[in-house]
Amino acid sequence: MKRKTIIFLTIAGIIGLCIGVIFYVWNEDQKEKEAANYALYAEYFNASDVLHLDMYTREYERTGNPHDIELTPTDLTYELLQRWEAISEVIPTIDYPEEAIEQEDWLNVYNTFAYNRFDAEDASKKITKGEEGETPDSMVINDYLLYGSVYNDYFREFLEENGIEGPDRRRLE
């Protein structure tokens, strides 16, 4: 009788251990999925913010799947894309994702924009180098692309020389 009890308890312990391991693995998998979903949601949110896209989350709120988020371009998006295309034509190191834009693959467009940031900063420094003792401005291209801001005279001259019209958004002094 004792032997049957020992065998039963051993089997029960093994089954309990297996159930515990399965639950642990399942729980870790759920955490990984949640983290991946959060990261993807954050990418959609950032793309929406940077590219001035409308972000519709109704279906995502129902399903919890970030792939159900819809990004829709606005007038500000199209203005940004026009400025970006014009700049990319005169500064070849800045990529313009024409195919991704045509396919409305906004995450790819956003990633290309983010990837271009350092090239835009380098080009901005060269454009705004100015005279000795002047500090170059590394953000003029990014500010121009994002907001249409043209607040630096060297950059304004660059735009004019290259046939790119940029609105003057400097505040009156």
Side-chain angles (χ1 to χ4, degrees), residues 2-62:
K2 281 187 164 186
R3 186 175 174 165
K4 286 182 180 180
T5 304
I6 292 173
I7 292 172
F8 175 75
L9 290 175
T10 303
I11 291 172
I14 292 171
I15 290 172
L17 182 62
C18 289
I19 290 172
V21 168
I22 290 169
F23 178 75
Y24 175 80
V25 169
W26 177 82
N27 190 36
E28 289 299 309
D29 186 53
Q30 290 303 108
K31 286 180 184 178
E32 285 180 26
K33 286 179 181 176
E34 286 177 20
N37 281 347
Y38 180 77
L40 187 55
Y41 177 87
E43 190 173 5
Y44 273 95
F45 181 82
N46 290 336
S48 151
D49 185 45
V50 169
L51 299 175
H52 311 293
L53 299 160
D54 283 335
M55 184 168 132
Y56 298 101
T57 59
R58 177 176 280 174
E59 189 66 17
Y60 163 74
E61 291 166 4
R62 190 180 68 71

Side-chain angles (χ1 to χ4, degrees), residues 47-110:
S48 151
D49 185 45
V50 169
L51 299 175
H52 311 293
L53 299 160
D54 283 335
M55 184 168 132
Y56 298 101
T57 59
R58 177 176 280 174
E59 189 66 17
Y60 163 74
E61 291 166 4
R62 190 180 68 71
T63 66
N65 183 349
H67 292 288
D68 290 332
I69 295 172
E70 291 182 43
L71 297 175
T72 306
T74 64
D75 290 342
L76 292 174
T77 305
Y78 291 118
E79 290 172 11
L80 180 149
L81 295 175
Q82 287 174 339
R83 291 188 297 268
W84 187 359
E85 184 176 28
I87 288 292
S88 72
E89 289 174 0
V90 295
I91 303 174
T93 58
I94 296 178
D95 295 326
Y96 181 75
E98 189 170 346
E99 186 175 320
I101 292 167
E102 288 172 4
Q103 295 173 356
E104 295 189 355
D105 180 356
W106 298 115
L107 292 183
N108 191 354
V109 173
Y110 166 71

